[in-house]
Amino acid sequence: MLDPQISEWIGQILRWTHVVTAIAWIGSSFYFIHLDLSLRRREGLPEGVGGEAWQVHGGGFYNMRKYLIAPPELPRELTWFKWESYSTWLTGFFLLVWVYYLQAELYSIDHETMDLLPWQVAAIGISGLTGAWLIYEGLCRSPLGNRDATLSGAVFILILAAAWGFMQVLSPRAAFLHTGAMIATWMSASVFVVIIPNQRKVVADLIAGRQPDPKLGKEAKQRSTHNNYLTLPVVFLMLSNHYPLAWSSRYSVAIVGLIVVAGAVIRHFFNSRHAHKGSPWWTWAVAAACIVAAIYLSIIGRPTVALASNTAPVPAAMLPTEEALLAVQSRCSMCHAAEPVWPGIATAPKGVRLDTSEEIARRAESIRIQSVLTHAMPPGNLTGMTLEERRAVADWLAARDRIRHTF
């Protein structure tokens, strides 16, 4: 067992590194999609050049040209954009292992869904990521790969099916995270298996004096386009582990679908704008409708707790009732305390302490979201918080609301 403080620092550094590398990958991906779409043909371009773009940044001017297949001669120095992708996936996988597999009891196991052991969580997660990648790869290499719209529909269905499958075995939080990790695996594997190898084949053909196969560039472009449209949904799914209203809903699979559509149409807006094909403002209406629908489904699909009736006694102060205080302290304060006693936790998560009446009162709205409107806390109901205890907390919050409205 590592010292809890060292363990927490390892998690923090892994998350920091993952975010930094993801920024680099997303930034370069968005830039090259923008560059590709903004290229324009003009008189006098060299043979084989499909277009050029002039750009200004940091006080300098840049003239960018794209060869449809490859230049007649390779330059002495050639920059390959691949390590941004690889390092993002590797750091993400290590973070997944560190948080969701090595701390599976806290984050990945929901005993109300399925009783699992930590090693079983890891086996399910890794096999799920691998199996989904093989299916995605098979779809892209099948005859569907020649019909972009049909292929996109099949990939969308695959995402929903995988999200549903993860929901059947993992905690909702872990299921959402694994759905995002699955899509991210497709994206990075496409770079590793298709995009970079195809580029290497083109380089090898040029060195050998052969004409490169245009199909290689077409395949790489298709995968790059998929990555472009899937980036925003992946970012949302990765961030959602901090916001339980989305993944705790019984309509969470539908919410995943709505977020995928919203992210894709937003990217379509910018892609169309960069290509000078106009600004399809309707995409924002579609994205907004999807987000509103997702919010609505998260509200009507949240776990229910019977709230206090209007005849419930109103406490004389804003502090929690004895029942609510006992429920929170007995189920939450082993982690949310000045000195947590849960193994592997050195400080109260997010600095939230729930070991005194005063601290509980200060965190009333967070408690409402985490333990009443959703059952996100305790994670996977690890400490066995009962519905009666949640109801006691709900009764206190309702009485607290009535006192606030009185003043």
Side-chain angles (χ1 to χ4, degrees), residues 39 101 105 124 130 194 222 234 268 297 302 363 383 407:
L39 294 170
Y101 298 160
E105 288 188 358
I124 291 170
T130 304
V194 177
Q222 183 184 66
V234 166
H268 177 70
L297 291 179
R302 68 176 186 258
R363 302 290 183 174
T383 58
F407 296 95

Side-chain angles (χ1 to χ4, degrees), residues 294-369:
I295 293 172
Y296 176 73
L297 291 179
S298 75
I299 294 173
I300 67 171
R302 68 176 186 258
T304 57
V305 173
L307 299 179
S309 65
N310 291 330
T311 59
V314 177
M318 303 292 280
L319 295 176
T321 61
E322 182 178 349
E323 294 81 2
L325 176 64
L326 179 62
V328 175
Q329 286 186 329
S330 62
R331 305 302 183 185
C332 308
S333 62
M334 62 280 296
C335 295
H336 292 282
E339 296 182 6
V341 297
W342 189 269
I345 296 181
T347 59
K350 295 187 176 181
V352 176
R353 288 180 51 190
L354 300 174
D355 48 357
T356 67
S357 294
E358 292 75 14
E359 290 292 345
I360 292 172
R362 292 191 189 99
R363 302 290 183 174
E365 293 309 314
S366 294
I367 293 171
R368 186 196 306 275
I369 292 176

Side-chain angles (χ1 to χ4, degrees), residues 19 100 220:
V19 170
Y100 286 90

Side-chain angles (χ1 to χ4, degrees), residues 201-317:
K201 291 176 184 177
V202 170
V203 171
D205 286 340
L206 288 172
I207 294 175
R210 298 187 298 266
Q211 181 70 17
D213 185 355
K215 182 181 178 182
L216 297 174
K218 183 179 179 181
E219 289 178 348
K221 178 67 179 298
Q222 183 184 66
R223 299 301 183 93
S224 181
T225 302
H226 285 185
N227 287 1
N228 178 251
Y229 278 96
L230 290 172
T231 296
L232 296 185
V234 166
V235 172
F236 181 95
L237 292 171
M238 293 306 188
L239 293 176
S240 67
N241 71 94
H242 299 290
Y243 303 98
L245 282 175
W247 48 257
S248 66
S249 171
R250 64 178 179 271
Y251 301 115
S252 55
V253 175
I255 292 173
V256 169
L258 289 167
I259 294 302
V260 170
V261 173
V265 296
I266 290 172
R267 284 309 305 160
H268 177 70
F269 172 84
F270 287 104
N271 290 343
S272 177
R273 190 179 180 92
H274 294 158
H276 297 285
K277 294 181 179 179
S279 300
W281 296 105
W282 60 266
T283 56
W284 291 100
V286 172
C290 288
I291 297 299
V292 170
I295 293 172
Y296 176 73
L297 291 179
S298 75
I299 294 173
I300 67 171
R302 68 176 186 258
T304 57
V305 173
L307 299 179
S309 65
N310 291 330
T311 59
V314 177

Side-chain angles (χ1 to χ4, degrees), residues 82-259:
K82 57 182 180 179
W83 290 111
E84 298 90 341
S85 169
Y86 301 162
S87 56
T88 298
W89 189 88
L90 288 171
T91 55
F93 181 74
F94 289 144
L95 187 60
L96 181 69
V97 171
W98 188 259
V99 176
Y100 286 90
Y101 298 160
L102 297 182
Q103 303 178 63
E105 288 188 358
L106 196 59
Y107 294 107
S108 301
I109 298 173
D110 187 337
H111 295 288
E112 295 178 1
T113 300
M114 181 176 290
D115 281 318
L116 297 171
L117 297 174
W119 72 265
Q120 293 173 318
V121 171
I124 291 170
I126 293 173
S127 61
L129 298 183
T130 304
W133 154 249
L134 293 174
I135 295 173
Y136 170 76
E137 184 71 10
L139 289 173
C140 291
R141 295 184 183 276
S142 73
L144 290 178
N146 298 321
R147 301 192 295 273
D148 288 336
T150 306
L151 176 61
S152 297
V155 170
F156 179 72
I157 293 172
L158 176 58
I159 292 172
L160 297 185
W164 180 87
F166 285 131
M167 288 287 179
Q168 306 312 302
V169 292
L170 302 176
S171 71
R173 182 199 301 263
F176 247 56
L177 195 285
H178 276 77
T179 303
M182 174 194 71
I183 301 173
T185 298
W186 300 350
M187 295 168 65
S188 190
S190 289
V191 175
F192 183 73
V193 175
V194 177
I195 297 175
I196 294 299
N198 283 16
Q199 290 175 342
R200 291 193 182 281
K201 291 176 184 177
V202 170
V203 171
D205 286 340
L206 288 172
I207 294 175
R210 298 187 298 266
Q211 181 70 17
D213 185 355
K215 182 181 178 182
L216 297 174
K218 183 179 179 181
E219 289 178 348
K221 178 67 179 298
Q222 183 184 66
R223 299 301 183 93
S224 181
T225 302
H226 285 185
N227 287 1
N228 178 251
Y229 278 96
L230 290 172
T231 296
L232 296 185
V234 166
V235 172
F236 181 95
L237 292 171
M238 293 306 188
L239 293 176
S240 67
N241 71 94
H242 299 290
Y243 303 98
L245 282 175
W247 48 257
S248 66
S249 171
R250 64 178 179 271
Y251 301 115
S252 55
V253 175
I255 292 173
V256 169
L258 289 167
I259 294 302

